């Protein structure tokens, strides 16, 4: 394992699809890991690849 591991946000990764209900935090569904997480929280991820454009966020007004 490397000595320094960079913390990344799923919101900046090209492997995510993004959803937001009302004004709640943005949720990321990772296409690689097939799991959901809060998109703006920092984490360590070996599959992270930086996106080149703004993320498209699907907004919902009901659950």
């Amino acid at each position: 394992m490397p000595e320094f591991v960079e913390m990344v946000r799923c919101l900046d990764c090209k492997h995510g699809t993004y959803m937001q209900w009302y004004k709640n935090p943005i949720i990321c569904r990772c296409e690689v890991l097939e799991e959901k997480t809060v998109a703006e929280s920092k984490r360590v991820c070996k599959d992270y690849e930086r996106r080149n454009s703004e993320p498209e966020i699907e907004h919902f007004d009901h659950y």
Side-chain angles (χ1 to χ4, degrees):
M1 183 171 217
E3 282 186 33
F4 177 75
V5 178
E6 182 180 358
M7 299 292 286
V8 296
R9 297 183 321 161
C10 295
L11 190 61
D12 300 322
C13 182
K14 71 178 189 177
H15 297 297
T17 54
Y18 306 96
M19 303 156 277
Q20 184 178 33
W21 285 263
Y22 303 101
K23 298 289 183 183
N24 290 312
I26 299 166
I27 301 298
C28 173
R29 182 180 182 288
C30 179
E31 297 167 358
V32 175
L33 301 175
E34 296 183 0
E35 62 183 38
K36 293 178 187 171
T37 188
V38 175
E40 294 184 85
S41 62
K42 292 197 174 194
R43 61 183 288 160
V44 174
C45 182
K46 64 179 179 59
D47 298 308
Y48 174 81
E49 291 185 53
R50 188 167 217 20
R51 74 172 47 259
N52 295 325
S53 60
E54 290 294 316
E56 290 184 30
I57 303 168
E58 187 175 358
H59 294 274
F60 298 95
D61 60 2
H62 63 280
Y63 290 108

Short mmCIF file of all heavy atoms in Angstrom, two decimals:
data_model
loop_
_atom_site.label_atom_id
_atom_site.label_comp_id
_atom_site.label_asym_id
_atom_site.label_seq_id
_atom_site.Cartn_x
_atom_site.Cartn_y
_atom_site.Cartn_z
N MET A 1 0.85 -1.19 0.00
CA MET A 1 0.00 0.00 0.00
C MET A 1 0.89 1.25 0.00
O MET A 1 1.86 1.30 0.74
CB MET A 1 -0.90 -0.02 1.22
CG MET A 1 -1.87 1.11 1.29
SD MET A 1 -3.05 0.83 2.64
CE MET A 1 -4.48 1.48 1.88
N PRO A 2 0.54 2.26 -0.82
CA PRO A 2 1.37 3.47 -0.87
C PRO A 2 1.32 4.22 0.45
O PRO A 2 0.36 4.12 1.20
CB PRO A 2 0.74 4.28 -2.00
CG PRO A 2 -0.59 3.69 -2.26
CD PRO A 2 -0.58 2.30 -1.73
N GLU A 3 2.39 4.99 0.72
CA GLU A 3 2.46 5.76 1.96
C GLU A 3 1.40 6.85 2.00
O GLU A 3 0.78 7.07 3.02
CB GLU A 3 3.84 6.40 2.10
CG GLU A 3 4.89 5.45 2.57
CD GLU A 3 6.18 6.16 2.84
OE1 GLU A 3 6.17 7.33 3.27
OE2 GLU A 3 7.22 5.53 2.62
N PHE A 4 1.20 7.55 0.88
CA PHE A 4 0.22 8.64 0.84
C PHE A 4 -0.93 8.24 -0.07
O PHE A 4 -0.72 7.87 -1.21
CB PHE A 4 0.85 9.93 0.32
CG PHE A 4 -0.15 11.05 0.19
CD1 PHE A 4 -0.61 11.70 1.31
CD2 PHE A 4 -0.64 11.41 -1.04
CE1 PHE A 4 -1.53 12.72 1.20
CE2 PHE A 4 -1.57 12.44 -1.16
CZ PHE A 4 -2.00 13.09 -0.04
N VAL A 5 -2.13 8.30 0.46
CA VAL A 5 -3.32 7.97 -0.33
C VAL A 5 -4.17 9.24 -0.39
O VAL A 5 -4.52 9.81 0.63
CB VAL A 5 -4.11 6.82 0.33
CG1 VAL A 5 -5.36 6.53 -0.48
CG2 VAL A 5 -3.25 5.58 0.46
N GLU A 6 -4.50 9.65 -1.61
CA GLU A 6 -5.29 10.86 -1.79
C GLU A 6 -6.76 10.60 -1.50
O GLU A 6 -7.33 9.60 -1.93
CB GLU A 6 -5.15 11.35 -3.23
CG GLU A 6 -5.89 12.63 -3.50
CD GLU A 6 -5.76 13.12 -4.93
OE1 GLU A 6 -5.05 12.47 -5.72
OE2 GLU A 6 -6.37 14.14 -5.25
N MET A 7 -7.37 11.52 -0.77
CA MET A 7 -8.80 11.47 -0.51
C MET A 7 -9.51 12.13 -1.69
O MET A 7 -9.10 13.20 -2.15
CB MET A 7 -9.14 12.20 0.79
CG MET A 7 -8.46 11.60 2.01
SD MET A 7 -9.05 9.99 2.43
CE MET A 7 -10.62 10.38 3.14
N VAL A 8 -10.56 11.48 -2.21
CA VAL A 8 -11.27 11.98 -3.38
C VAL A 8 -12.77 12.06 -3.07
O VAL A 8 -13.25 11.48 -2.11
CB VAL A 8 -11.05 11.07 -4.61
CG1 VAL A 8 -9.58 11.09 -5.01
CG2 VAL A 8 -11.50 9.65 -4.32
N ARG A 9 -13.50 12.79 -3.93
CA ARG A 9 -14.96 12.88 -3.81
C ARG A 9 -15.58 12.17 -5.01
O ARG A 9 -15.14 12.35 -6.14
CB ARG A 9 -15.43 14.33 -3.84
CG ARG A 9 -14.95 15.18 -2.73
CD ARG A 9 -15.51 16.57 -2.75
NE ARG A 9 -15.62 17.14 -4.10
CZ ARG A 9 -16.39 18.18 -4.41
NH1 ARG A 9 -17.11 18.77 -3.49
NH2 ARG A 9 -16.44 18.63 -5.63
N CYS A 10 -16.62 11.39 -4.75
CA CYS A 10 -17.32 10.71 -5.85
C CYS A 10 -17.90 11.72 -6.84
O CYS A 10 -18.02 11.42 -8.02
CB CYS A 10 -18.42 9.82 -5.28
SG CYS A 10 -17.81 8.46 -4.28
N LEU A 11 -18.24 12.91 -6.37
CA LEU A 11 -18.81 13.94 -7.23
C LEU A 11 -17.84 14.33 -8.36
O LEU A 11 -18.27 14.77 -9.41
CB LEU A 11 -19.17 15.18 -6.41
CG LEU A 11 -19.97 16.26 -7.11
CD1 LEU A 11 -21.33 15.71 -7.58
CD2 LEU A 11 -20.18 17.45 -6.20
N ASP A 12 -16.55 14.13 -8.15
CA ASP A 12 -15.54 14.49 -9.15
C ASP A 12 -15.15 13.31 -10.05
O ASP A 12 -14.27 13.45 -10.89
CB ASP A 12 -14.29 15.02 -8.44
CG ASP A 12 -14.59 16.24 -7.60
OD1 ASP A 12 -15.41 17.07 -8.04
OD2 ASP A 12 -14.02 16.35 -6.51
N CYS A 13 -15.77 12.14 -9.86
CA CYS A 13 -15.37 10.94 -10.58
C CYS A 13 -16.28 10.67 -11.78
O CYS A 13 -17.49 10.88 -11.72
CB CYS A 13 -15.41 9.73 -9.63
SG CYS A 13 -14.88 8.19 -10.40
N LYS A 14 -15.70 10.16 -12.85
CA LYS A 14 -16.48 9.89 -14.06
C LYS A 14 -17.28 8.60 -13.99
O LYS A 14 -18.06 8.31 -14.88
CB LYS A 14 -15.58 9.88 -15.29
CG LYS A 14 -14.65 8.70 -15.40
CD LYS A 14 -13.86 8.80 -16.69
CE LYS A 14 -13.08 7.55 -16.96
NZ LYS A 14 -12.37 7.65 -18.25
N HIS A 15 -17.14 7.80 -12.94
CA HIS A 15 -17.84 6.53 -12.82
C HIS A 15 -19.18 6.65 -12.09
O HIS A 15 -19.82 5.65 -11.82
CB HIS A 15 -16.99 5.50 -12.09
CG HIS A 15 -15.74 5.15 -12.82
ND1 HIS A 15 -15.74 4.55 -14.06
CD2 HIS A 15 -14.44 5.34 -12.50
CE1 HIS A 15 -14.50 4.38 -14.46
NE2 HIS A 15 -13.69 4.85 -13.53
N GLY A 16 -19.59 7.85 -11.76
CA GLY A 16 -20.81 8.01 -10.97
C GLY A 16 -22.01 8.52 -11.75
O GLY A 16 -21.87 9.21 -12.75
N THR A 17 -23.19 8.15 -11.26
CA THR A 17 -24.43 8.79 -11.68
C THR A 17 -24.97 9.44 -10.42
O THR A 17 -24.87 8.88 -9.32
CB THR A 17 -25.44 7.79 -12.27
OG1 THR A 17 -25.66 6.74 -11.35
CG2 THR A 17 -24.95 7.21 -13.58
N TYR A 18 -25.57 10.63 -10.55
CA TYR A 18 -25.87 11.46 -9.40
C TYR A 18 -27.36 11.76 -9.30
O TYR A 18 -28.01 12.03 -10.31
CB TYR A 18 -25.06 12.76 -9.48
CG TYR A 18 -23.60 12.46 -9.65
CD1 TYR A 18 -23.02 12.45 -10.91
CD2 TYR A 18 -22.82 12.12 -8.56
CE1 TYR A 18 -21.68 12.13 -11.07
CE2 TYR A 18 -21.49 11.79 -8.72
CZ TYR A 18 -20.93 11.80 -9.97
OH TYR A 18 -19.62 11.47 -10.14
N MET A 19 -27.85 11.71 -8.06
CA MET A 19 -29.27 11.93 -7.78
C MET A 19 -29.40 12.82 -6.56
O MET A 19 -28.56 12.74 -5.65
CB MET A 19 -29.97 10.61 -7.48
CG MET A 19 -29.84 9.59 -8.60
SD MET A 19 -30.02 7.90 -8.01
CE MET A 19 -28.36 7.59 -7.42
N GLN A 20 -30.46 13.64 -6.53
CA GLN A 20 -30.71 14.47 -5.36
C GLN A 20 -32.20 14.60 -5.15
O GLN A 20 -32.94 14.90 -6.09
CB GLN A 20 -30.09 15.86 -5.54
CG GLN A 20 -30.23 16.73 -4.32
CD GLN A 20 -29.56 18.09 -4.51
OE1 GLN A 20 -29.53 18.63 -5.60
NE2 GLN A 20 -29.05 18.62 -3.43
N TRP A 21 -32.64 14.34 -3.93
CA TRP A 21 -34.03 14.49 -3.54
C TRP A 21 -34.18 15.77 -2.75
O TRP A 21 -33.47 15.97 -1.75
CB TRP A 21 -34.49 13.30 -2.69
CG TRP A 21 -34.72 12.07 -3.50
CD1 TRP A 21 -35.92 11.63 -3.98
CD2 TRP A 21 -33.75 11.11 -3.94
NE1 TRP A 21 -35.74 10.46 -4.70
CE2 TRP A 21 -34.42 10.12 -4.68
CE3 TRP A 21 -32.37 11.00 -3.79
CZ2 TRP A 21 -33.76 9.04 -5.25
CZ3 TRP A 21 -31.71 9.93 -4.36
CH2 TRP A 21 -32.42 8.96 -5.09
N TYR A 22 -35.06 16.65 -3.21
CA TYR A 22 -35.29 17.95 -2.57
C TYR A 22 -33.95 18.67 -2.40
O TYR A 22 -33.20 18.79 -3.34
CB TYR A 22 -36.03 17.79 -1.23
CG TYR A 22 -37.35 17.07 -1.37
CD1 TYR A 22 -37.46 15.73 -1.04
CD2 TYR A 22 -38.48 17.73 -1.85
CE1 TYR A 22 -38.68 15.06 -1.16
CE2 TYR A 22 -39.69 17.07 -1.99
CZ TYR A 22 -39.78 15.73 -1.64
OH TYR A 22 -40.97 15.08 -1.77
N LYS A 23 -33.65 19.13 -1.19
CA LYS A 23 -32.38 19.84 -0.91
C LYS A 23 -31.41 18.95 -0.12
O LYS A 23 -30.47 19.43 0.48
CB LYS A 23 -32.65 21.12 -0.12
CG LYS A 23 -33.50 22.13 -0.84
CD LYS A 23 -32.73 22.76 -1.96
CE LYS A 23 -33.58 23.83 -2.63
NZ LYS A 23 -32.92 24.42 -3.76
N ASN A 24 -31.65 17.64 -0.13
CA ASN A 24 -30.78 16.70 0.57
C ASN A 24 -29.43 16.59 -0.15
O ASN A 24 -29.30 17.02 -1.30
CB ASN A 24 -31.45 15.33 0.66
CG ASN A 24 -32.63 15.35 1.60
OD1 ASN A 24 -32.53 15.84 2.71
ND2 ASN A 24 -33.74 14.82 1.14
N PRO A 25 -28.42 15.98 0.50
CA PRO A 25 -27.13 15.82 -0.18
C PRO A 25 -27.25 15.01 -1.47
O PRO A 25 -28.14 14.18 -1.62
CB PRO A 25 -26.30 15.04 0.85
CG PRO A 25 -26.94 15.36 2.16
CD PRO A 25 -28.40 15.51 1.87
N ILE A 26 -26.35 15.26 -2.38
CA ILE A 26 -26.30 14.54 -3.65
C ILE A 26 -25.79 13.12 -3.38
O ILE A 26 -24.81 12.93 -2.66
CB ILE A 26 -25.37 15.26 -4.64
CG1 ILE A 26 -25.91 16.67 -4.91
CG2 ILE A 26 -25.24 14.46 -5.93
CD1 ILE A 26 -24.91 17.57 -5.60
N ILE A 27 -26.46 12.15 -3.97
CA ILE A 27 -26.08 10.74 -3.83
C ILE A 27 -25.41 10.30 -5.13
O ILE A 27 -25.87 10.62 -6.22
CB ILE A 27 -27.32 9.86 -3.55
CG1 ILE A 27 -28.03 10.32 -2.28
CG2 ILE A 27 -26.94 8.38 -3.49
CD1 ILE A 27 -27.20 10.22 -1.03
N CYS A 28 -24.34 9.54 -4.99
CA CYS A 28 -23.64 8.98 -6.15
C CYS A 28 -23.85 7.47 -6.17
O CYS A 28 -23.67 6.80 -5.16
CB CYS A 28 -22.15 9.28 -6.04
SG CYS A 28 -21.19 8.46 -7.33
N ARG A 29 -24.22 6.97 -7.33
CA ARG A 29 -24.24 5.51 -7.53
C ARG A 29 -23.04 5.18 -8.41
O ARG A 29 -22.96 5.61 -9.56
CB ARG A 29 -25.51 5.05 -8.22
CG ARG A 29 -25.53 3.53 -8.37
CD ARG A 29 -26.77 3.03 -9.05
NE ARG A 29 -26.74 1.59 -9.12
CZ ARG A 29 -25.95 0.86 -9.92
NH1 ARG A 29 -25.10 1.46 -10.72
NH2 ARG A 29 -26.00 -0.45 -9.91
N CYS A 30 -22.09 4.45 -7.83
CA CYS A 30 -20.86 4.11 -8.53
C CYS A 30 -21.13 2.98 -9.52
O CYS A 30 -21.63 1.92 -9.15
CB CYS A 30 -19.79 3.69 -7.54
SG CYS A 30 -18.24 3.22 -8.33
N GLU A 31 -20.78 3.20 -10.78
CA GLU A 31 -20.97 2.19 -11.82
C GLU A 31 -19.96 1.05 -11.69
O GLU A 31 -20.22 -0.05 -12.16
CB GLU A 31 -20.85 2.85 -13.19
CG GLU A 31 -21.93 3.89 -13.44
CD GLU A 31 -21.65 4.77 -14.63
OE1 GLU A 31 -20.59 4.62 -15.28
OE2 GLU A 31 -22.50 5.62 -14.93
N VAL A 32 -18.82 1.28 -11.04
CA VAL A 32 -17.79 0.25 -10.87
C VAL A 32 -18.10 -0.62 -9.65
O VAL A 32 -18.16 -1.84 -9.74
CB VAL A 32 -16.39 0.89 -10.74
CG1 VAL A 32 -15.34 -0.17 -10.45
CG2 VAL A 32 -16.04 1.67 -11.99
N LEU A 33 -18.30 0.03 -8.50
CA LEU A 33 -18.52 -0.70 -7.25
C LEU A 33 -19.98 -1.10 -7.03
O LEU A 33 -20.27 -1.91 -6.16
CB LEU A 33 -18.04 0.14 -6.07
CG LEU A 33 -16.58 0.55 -6.09
CD1 LEU A 33 -16.27 1.47 -4.93
CD2 LEU A 33 -15.68 -0.67 -6.09
N GLU A 34 -20.88 -0.50 -7.80
CA GLU A 34 -22.32 -0.75 -7.67
C GLU A 34 -22.81 -0.51 -6.25
O GLU A 34 -23.53 -1.31 -5.66
CB GLU A 34 -22.68 -2.15 -8.15
CG GLU A 34 -22.40 -2.35 -9.62
CD GLU A 34 -22.83 -3.70 -10.14
OE1 GLU A 34 -23.35 -4.52 -9.36
OE2 GLU A 34 -22.64 -3.95 -11.34
N GLU A 35 -22.42 0.64 -5.68
CA GLU A 35 -22.88 1.03 -4.37
C GLU A 35 -23.20 2.52 -4.38
O GLU A 35 -22.76 3.24 -5.27
CB GLU A 35 -21.85 0.71 -3.28
CG GLU A 35 -20.54 1.42 -3.44
CD GLU A 35 -19.52 1.02 -2.39
OE1 GLU A 35 -19.46 -0.15 -2.02
OE2 GLU A 35 -18.77 1.90 -1.95
N LYS A 36 -23.95 2.97 -3.38
CA LYS A 36 -24.34 4.38 -3.28
C LYS A 36 -23.64 5.01 -2.09
O LYS A 36 -23.43 4.37 -1.07
CB LYS A 36 -25.85 4.50 -3.09
CG LYS A 36 -26.63 4.06 -4.29
CD LYS A 36 -28.11 4.16 -4.01
CE LYS A 36 -28.91 3.56 -5.15
NZ LYS A 36 -30.32 3.45 -4.82
N THR A 37 -23.28 6.28 -2.25
CA THR A 37 -22.64 7.04 -1.18
C THR A 37 -22.96 8.52 -1.35
O THR A 37 -23.42 8.94 -2.41
CB THR A 37 -21.11 6.79 -1.18
OG1 THR A 37 -20.54 7.39 -0.03
CG2 THR A 37 -20.46 7.33 -2.41
N VAL A 38 -22.72 9.31 -0.31
CA VAL A 38 -22.88 10.76 -0.42
C VAL A 38 -21.76 11.28 -1.32
O VAL A 38 -20.58 11.06 -1.05
CB VAL A 38 -22.83 11.43 0.98
CG1 VAL A 38 -22.89 12.94 0.85
CG2 VAL A 38 -23.98 10.92 1.84
N ALA A 39 -22.13 11.96 -2.38
CA ALA A 39 -21.18 12.32 -3.44
C ALA A 39 -20.10 13.30 -3.00
O ALA A 39 -19.00 13.27 -3.54
CB ALA A 39 -21.94 12.90 -4.63
N GLU A 40 -20.39 14.15 -2.03
CA GLU A 40 -19.41 15.16 -1.64
C GLU A 40 -18.51 14.74 -0.47
O GLU A 40 -17.61 15.48 -0.11
CB GLU A 40 -20.12 16.47 -1.32
CG GLU A 40 -20.77 17.05 -2.56
CD GLU A 40 -21.40 18.40 -2.31
OE1 GLU A 40 -20.66 19.39 -2.39
OE2 GLU A 40 -22.60 18.44 -2.03
N SER A 41 -18.75 13.57 0.10
CA SER A 41 -17.88 13.12 1.19
C SER A 41 -16.58 12.58 0.60
O SER A 41 -16.54 12.06 -0.51
CB SER A 41 -18.58 12.05 2.03
OG SER A 41 -18.88 10.93 1.24
N LYS A 42 -15.50 12.73 1.36
CA LYS A 42 -14.19 12.28 0.88
C LYS A 42 -13.96 10.84 1.28
O LYS A 42 -14.39 10.38 2.33
CB LYS A 42 -13.10 13.17 1.44
CG LYS A 42 -13.18 14.56 0.86
CD LYS A 42 -11.91 15.30 1.08
CE LYS A 42 -12.02 16.63 0.34
NZ LYS A 42 -10.75 17.27 0.23
N ARG A 43 -13.28 10.11 0.39
CA ARG A 43 -12.99 8.70 0.62
C ARG A 43 -11.75 8.29 -0.18
O ARG A 43 -11.30 9.02 -1.04
CB ARG A 43 -14.19 7.85 0.20
CG ARG A 43 -14.54 8.00 -1.26
CD ARG A 43 -15.76 7.23 -1.69
NE ARG A 43 -15.43 5.83 -1.72
CZ ARG A 43 -16.33 4.86 -1.68
NH1 ARG A 43 -17.60 5.13 -1.64
NH2 ARG A 43 -15.98 3.60 -1.69
N VAL A 44 -11.25 7.12 0.10
CA VAL A 44 -10.15 6.53 -0.66
C VAL A 44 -10.77 5.57 -1.66
O VAL A 44 -11.62 4.75 -1.30
CB VAL A 44 -9.18 5.78 0.28
CG1 VAL A 44 -8.12 5.05 -0.53
CG2 VAL A 44 -8.54 6.72 1.26
N CYS A 45 -10.39 5.67 -2.94
CA CYS A 45 -10.97 4.80 -3.96
C CYS A 45 -9.92 4.49 -5.02
O CYS A 45 -9.39 5.39 -5.67
CB CYS A 45 -12.18 5.47 -4.59
SG CYS A 45 -12.98 4.42 -5.82
N LYS A 46 -9.65 3.21 -5.21
CA LYS A 46 -8.66 2.79 -6.22
C LYS A 46 -9.21 2.91 -7.64
O LYS A 46 -8.45 2.91 -8.60
CB LYS A 46 -8.20 1.37 -5.95
CG LYS A 46 -9.29 0.32 -6.09
CD LYS A 46 -8.74 -1.08 -5.83
CE LYS A 46 -9.79 -2.13 -5.94
NZ LYS A 46 -10.46 -2.21 -7.23
N ASP A 47 -10.54 3.03 -7.80
CA ASP A 47 -11.15 3.11 -9.13
C ASP A 47 -11.45 4.54 -9.57
O ASP A 47 -12.00 4.75 -10.65
CB ASP A 47 -12.45 2.31 -9.13
CG ASP A 47 -12.21 0.84 -8.83
OD1 ASP A 47 -11.36 0.24 -9.52
OD2 ASP A 47 -12.85 0.30 -7.92
N TYR A 48 -11.07 5.52 -8.77
CA TYR A 48 -11.35 6.93 -9.06
C TYR A 48 -10.68 7.37 -10.36
O TYR A 48 -9.51 7.10 -10.59
CB TYR A 48 -10.86 7.81 -7.90
CG TYR A 48 -10.97 9.28 -8.16
CD1 TYR A 48 -12.17 9.94 -7.98
CD2 TYR A 48 -9.87 10.02 -8.57
CE1 TYR A 48 -12.28 11.30 -8.21
CE2 TYR A 48 -9.97 11.38 -8.80
CZ TYR A 48 -11.17 12.01 -8.62
OH TYR A 48 -11.28 13.35 -8.85
N GLU A 49 -11.48 8.06 -11.21
CA GLU A 49 -10.95 8.71 -12.41
C GLU A 49 -11.63 10.07 -12.52
O GLU A 49 -12.86 10.15 -12.56
CB GLU A 49 -11.23 7.88 -13.66
CG GLU A 49 -10.45 6.59 -13.72
CD GLU A 49 -10.67 5.86 -15.03
OE1 GLU A 49 -10.48 6.49 -16.10
OE2 GLU A 49 -11.05 4.68 -14.98
N ARG A 50 -10.83 11.12 -12.56
CA ARG A 50 -11.37 12.49 -12.56
C ARG A 50 -12.20 12.74 -13.81
O ARG A 50 -11.82 12.38 -14.91
CB ARG A 50 -10.23 13.49 -12.49
CG ARG A 50 -10.71 14.92 -12.27
CD ARG A 50 -9.55 15.79 -11.91
NE ARG A 50 -9.60 16.84 -10.97
CZ ARG A 50 -10.44 17.10 -10.00
NH1 ARG A 50 -11.45 16.33 -9.80
NH2 ARG A 50 -10.32 18.11 -9.21
N ARG A 51 -13.35 13.39 -13.61
CA ARG A 51 -14.22 13.75 -14.74
C ARG A 51 -13.72 15.03 -15.39
O ARG A 51 -13.03 15.82 -14.75
CB ARG A 51 -15.67 13.89 -14.29
CG ARG A 51 -15.99 15.11 -13.52
CD ARG A 51 -17.47 15.37 -13.22
NE ARG A 51 -18.17 14.22 -12.72
CZ ARG A 51 -18.97 13.46 -13.48
NH1 ARG A 51 -19.16 13.73 -14.74
NH2 ARG A 51 -19.59 12.43 -12.97
N ASN A 52 -14.07 15.24 -16.65
CA ASN A 52 -13.63 16.42 -17.39
C ASN A 52 -14.72 17.48 -17.54
O ASN A 52 -14.47 18.52 -18.12
CB ASN A 52 -13.15 16.01 -18.79
CG ASN A 52 -11.92 15.15 -18.73
OD1 ASN A 52 -11.07 15.34 -17.87
ND2 ASN A 52 -11.83 14.19 -19.62
N SER A 53 -15.91 17.20 -17.03
CA SER A 53 -17.01 18.15 -17.17
C SER A 53 -17.83 18.17 -15.87
O SER A 53 -17.61 17.36 -14.98
CB SER A 53 -17.91 17.73 -18.34
OG SER A 53 -18.43 16.44 -18.09
N GLU A 54 -18.77 19.08 -15.81
CA GLU A 54 -19.66 19.17 -14.65
C GLU A 54 -20.55 17.92 -14.61
O GLU A 54 -21.01 17.46 -15.66
CB GLU A 54 -20.54 20.41 -14.73
CG GLU A 54 -19.77 21.71 -14.54
CD GLU A 54 -19.20 21.84 -13.14
OE1 GLU A 54 -19.93 21.54 -12.17
OE2 GLU A 54 -18.03 22.21 -13.03
N PRO A 55 -20.83 17.40 -13.42
CA PRO A 55 -21.69 16.22 -13.34
C PRO A 55 -23.15 16.57 -13.64
O PRO A 55 -23.60 17.67 -13.35
CB PRO A 55 -21.54 15.77 -11.89
CG PRO A 55 -21.17 17.01 -11.15
CD PRO A 55 -20.35 17.83 -12.11
N GLU A 56 -23.86 15.64 -14.24
CA GLU A 56 -25.29 15.80 -14.45
C GLU A 56 -25.99 15.19 -13.24
O GLU A 56 -25.77 14.02 -12.92
CB GLU A 56 -25.73 15.08 -15.72
CG GLU A 56 -25.24 15.74 -16.98
CD GLU A 56 -25.77 15.06 -18.22
OE1 GLU A 56 -26.88 14.49 -18.18
OE2 GLU A 56 -25.06 15.10 -19.23
N ILE A 57 -26.82 15.99 -12.58
CA ILE A 57 -27.50 15.55 -11.36
C ILE A 57 -28.99 15.46 -11.65
O ILE A 57 -29.60 16.44 -12.08
CB ILE A 57 -27.24 16.52 -10.20
CG1 ILE A 57 -25.74 16.65 -9.95
CG2 ILE A 57 -27.97 16.05 -8.94
CD1 ILE A 57 -25.35 17.77 -9.03
N GLU A 58 -29.57 14.28 -11.44
CA GLU A 58 -31.00 14.09 -11.63
C GLU A 58 -31.70 14.50 -10.33
O GLU A 58 -31.36 13.99 -9.27
CB GLU A 58 -31.30 12.63 -11.96
CG GLU A 58 -32.75 12.39 -12.31
CD GLU A 58 -33.01 10.97 -12.76
OE1 GLU A 58 -32.08 10.17 -12.84
OE2 GLU A 58 -34.19 10.69 -13.04
N HIS A 59 -32.65 15.43 -10.44
CA HIS A 59 -33.33 15.95 -9.26
C HIS A 59 -34.73 15.33 -9.13
O HIS A 59 -35.42 15.15 -10.14
CB HIS A 59 -33.46 17.47 -9.34
CG HIS A 59 -32.12 18.15 -9.29
ND1 HIS A 59 -31.51 18.49 -8.11
CD2 HIS A 59 -31.27 18.53 -10.26
CE1 HIS A 59 -30.35 19.05 -8.35
NE2 HIS A 59 -30.19 19.09 -9.66
N PHE A 60 -35.11 15.02 -7.90
CA PHE A 60 -36.41 14.43 -7.61
C PHE A 60 -37.15 15.29 -6.61
O PHE A 60 -36.56 15.84 -5.70
CB PHE A 60 -36.24 13.02 -7.02
CG PHE A 60 -35.56 12.05 -7.95
CD1 PHE A 60 -34.18 11.85 -7.86
CD2 PHE A 60 -36.27 11.36 -8.90
CE1 PHE A 60 -33.54 10.97 -8.71
CE2 PHE A 60 -35.64 10.47 -9.75
CZ PHE A 60 -34.28 10.28 -9.66
N ASP A 61 -38.48 15.38 -6.76
CA ASP A 61 -39.30 16.13 -5.80
C ASP A 61 -40.25 15.21 -5.06
O ASP A 61 -41.24 15.64 -4.49
CB ASP A 61 -40.05 17.26 -6.49
CG ASP A 61 -41.00 16.77 -7.57
OD1 ASP A 61 -41.11 15.55 -7.78
OD2 ASP A 61 -41.64 17.62 -8.19
N HIS A 62 -39.97 13.91 -5.08
CA HIS A 62 -40.74 12.92 -4.30
C HIS A 62 -39.86 11.69 -4.07
O HIS A 62 -38.88 11.49 -4.77
CB HIS A 62 -42.02 12.53 -5.04
CG HIS A 62 -41.76 11.86 -6.35
ND1 HIS A 62 -41.43 12.58 -7.49
CD2 HIS A 62 -41.73 10.57 -6.71
CE1 HIS A 62 -41.24 11.74 -8.50
NE2 HIS A 62 -41.40 10.49 -8.05
N TYR A 63 -40.21 10.91 -3.06
CA TYR A 63 -39.42 9.70 -2.75
C TYR A 63 -39.97 8.50 -3.45
O TYR A 63 -41.05 8.36 -3.80
CB TYR A 63 -39.38 9.45 -1.23
CG TYR A 63 -38.54 10.46 -0.50
CD1 TYR A 63 -39.13 11.43 0.29
CD2 TYR A 63 -37.17 10.44 -0.61
CE1 TYR A 63 -38.35 12.37 0.96
CE2 TYR A 63 -36.39 11.37 0.06
CZ TYR A 63 -36.99 12.33 0.84
OH TYR A 63 -36.23 13.24 1.50
#
